[in-house]
Amino acid sequence: MKSKEKSCENTLKVSFESLSRNESLARSLASAFMTQLDPTVSELADMKCAVSEAVTNCTVHAYKNTVGTVYMTMKAYSDRSVRIEIRDKGCGIDNIEEAMQPLFTTDPDGERSGMGFTVMENFTDGVRVISRRGKGTKVTLTKKLSSLRSDT
Amino acid sequence: MEFKSADAYFSQSRGVLKCTIRGEIDHHSAKSIREEIDKRLRDESPSELVIDMGGVTFMDSSGLGVVLGRYQKAREYGIGFSVPRTAPAVKRMFDMAGLERIIKYGEENSNTEKTERRG
Ligand SMILES: Nc1ncnc2c1ncn2[C@@H]1O[C@H](COP(=O)(O)OP(=O)(O)O)[C@@H](O)[C@H]1O
Ligand SMILES: [Mg+2]
C-alpha cells in the first residue's frame, strides 16, 4: 500500500422508527451493506451484534416510553474499514464513562444486562460515543476487515 | 402485526422442563421468550429448568438478560438450571460475560447428560 490516505467509497443512510422489531432490520441492513466488502462470517457476525446493541439502546434507553427516529449511516472505506454511526435524538447519556462500564445499566428491571457497550467494544475495532443530555447520542462503530485472499 | 425472530418450544419429562430456543435472540424477541418460560415455571412447577440454545442463530446482550433472569428465577424456586447446548453465537457471548462462573453450559453439540463441571 502506497498511501495511508483512505477514501470513502460508499455511503448508505437510513432512518427508521425506534420500534423493537426494527432491531433485526438494522442488523440486516448493516450485513447487506458490508457484503460488498466480502467480509468473513465472523466479521459480519461481530458487526451485526454491535449494531444490534447500539440500535437497541435507542429503543430501550434514548426513547424510553416513546418512539423516535434512529439514524444510521454506513460508510465503506478504501482500506477495507467500515464505519457505522447510530444516532438518536433521545434523552442522552449523563456520564458516558460510567455507562460504558461492564454491567452498568439504568434499567435492571427490564432485564438489561448492562453488557451492551462491552459487546460493542469487544466485537469492533473502535467505539466512539458522543452524547448530550436532552439532545441525543451518537455511537460510531468502526471495524477493519481482514484483507482479501488474493486468488492470483 | 406480530413479528417473531425466535421461537421457544417446550417439553416436560420427569419434572424437567426443557425449553428449546431457535432463531435470533434480541431485545425484541427476548420479551416473549422470557414470558413464556416464566409462565411455564409458574404453571408446571418443574424440579429443573433446561434451556437448549443449540439452535440460536444470533444473540446479543439481551440474551444474557434472558438467561441470567431465568437463572435467578430458578434459584428463587429452588430448582436446577442448565444450558446444555450453546450455538457459537451464544457461547461467545457467555464466554465474554464470564458466565461459566455462574451457569453450567455446554458447547454446540454436547448433550444433556454430559454436564460435568469442575468443582
Ligand atoms: N442511546 C442511548 N441513549 C441514552 N442512554 C443510553 C444510550 N445507550 C446507552 N445508554 C445508557 O448506558 C447504559 C449502558 O448501556 P449498555 O451497556 O447497552 O447496557 P444496557 O442496555 O443493558 O443497560 C444504559 O443502561 C443507559 O443508561
Ligand atoms: Mg444496551
Side-chain angles (χ1 to χ4, degrees):
Chain A
M1 212 159 289
K2 278 178 194 159
S3 156
K4 278 197 172 155
E5 289 283 296
K6 63 174 184 182
S7 56
C8 180
E9 309 223 300
N10 198 1
T11 304
L12 178 64
K13 291 187 183 193
V14 287
S15 62
F16 48 87
E17 288 188 279
S18 63
L19 303 170
S20 65
R21 65 168 174 270
N22 284 336
E23 290 154 10
S24 62
L25 179 73
R27 300 196 286 277
S28 304
L29 288 170
S31 163
F33 181 78
M34 282 175 70
T35 302
Q36 62 193 304
L37 291 172
D38 200 6
T40 65
V41 172
S42 83
E43 287 166 346
L44 207 52
D46 288 353
M47 206 57 168
K48 281 176 78 174
C49 207
V51 165
S52 195
E53 297 293 351
V55 170
T56 298
N57 282 350
C58 299
T59 308
V60 176
H61 306 296
Y63 298 121
K64 190 174 186 165
N65 305 320
T66 61
V67 175
T69 308
V70 181
Y71 304 85
M72 188 156 103
T73 302
M74 298 179 262
K75 287 180 187 290
Y77 293 90
S78 54
D79 67 347
R80 296 185 51 72
S81 61
V82 183
R83 179 172 296 176
I84 301 183
E85 185 188 290
I86 290 130
R87 191 165 56 85
D88 65 68
K89 293 182 177 172
C91 66
I93 304 173
D94 274 336
N95 184 339
I96 294 173
E97 204 187 317
E98 180 186 50
M100 293 181 82
Q101 294 291 317
L103 305 177
F104 178 87
T105 181
T106 49
D107 185 23
D109 300 338
E111 292 201 346
R112 309 303 312 153
S113 60
M115 292 296 283
F117 279 121
T118 308
V119 168
M120 290 184 244
E121 288 186 315
N122 271 278
F123 292 166
T124 66
D125 297 317
V127 181
R128 221 182 58 202
V129 183
I130 299 173
S131 190
R132 268 177 68 192
R133 188 196 295 183
K135 293 281 183 198
T137 302
K138 182 168 93 177
V139 174
T140 308
L141 306 165
T142 313
K143 192 161 182 79
K144 179 89 190 287
L145 305 182
S146 55
S147 46
L148 287 172
R149 248 185 299 133
S150 68
D151 294 327
T152 46
Chain B
M1 182 169 70
E2 176 75 4
F3 167 75
K4 276 176 111 179
S5 51
D7 276 302
Y9 305 89
F10 294 89
S11 64
Q12 167 139 213
S13 100
R14 293 191 206 150
V16 179
L17 175 65
K18 183 176 176 192
C19 170
T20 304
I21 305 174
R22 296 215 179 93
E24 308 198 347
I25 309 178
D26 60 9
H27 159 255
H28 177 80
S29 62
K31 186 168 182 282
S32 64
I33 294 171
R34 193 161 60 218
E35 288 170 357
E36 283 178 58
I37 297 177
D38 288 355
K39 184 176 185 310
R40 298 271 179 164
L41 285 176
R42 261 195 326 271
D43 296 351
E44 300 177 20
S45 317
S47 57
E48 190 181 337
L49 172 63
V50 172
I51 305 182
D52 183 334
M53 301 181 84
V56 173
T57 52
F58 171 88
M59 186 174 104
D60 65 17
S61 71
S62 305
L64 291 174
V66 172
V67 173
L68 287 168
R70 281 345 94 213
Y71 165 73
Q72 285 296 343
K73 276 268 153 69
R75 278 184 48 141
E76 282 165 31
Y77 286 114
I79 66 173
F81 179 87
S82 65
V83 184
R85 296 198 317 139
T86 54
V90 177
K91 186 169 185 298
R92 67 176 190 157
M93 201 66 72
F94 282 12
D95 290 347
M96 198 195 72
L99 248 61
E100 76 275 357
R101 285 168 301 172
I102 313 172
I103 288 170
K104 283 192 209 172
Y105 62 89
E107 305 244 332
E108 193 168 16
N109 295 313
S110 56
N111 61 57
T112 321
E113 279 69 43
K114 201 191 101 202
T115 45
E116 287 280 305
R117 300 294 299 176
R118 279 173 286 140

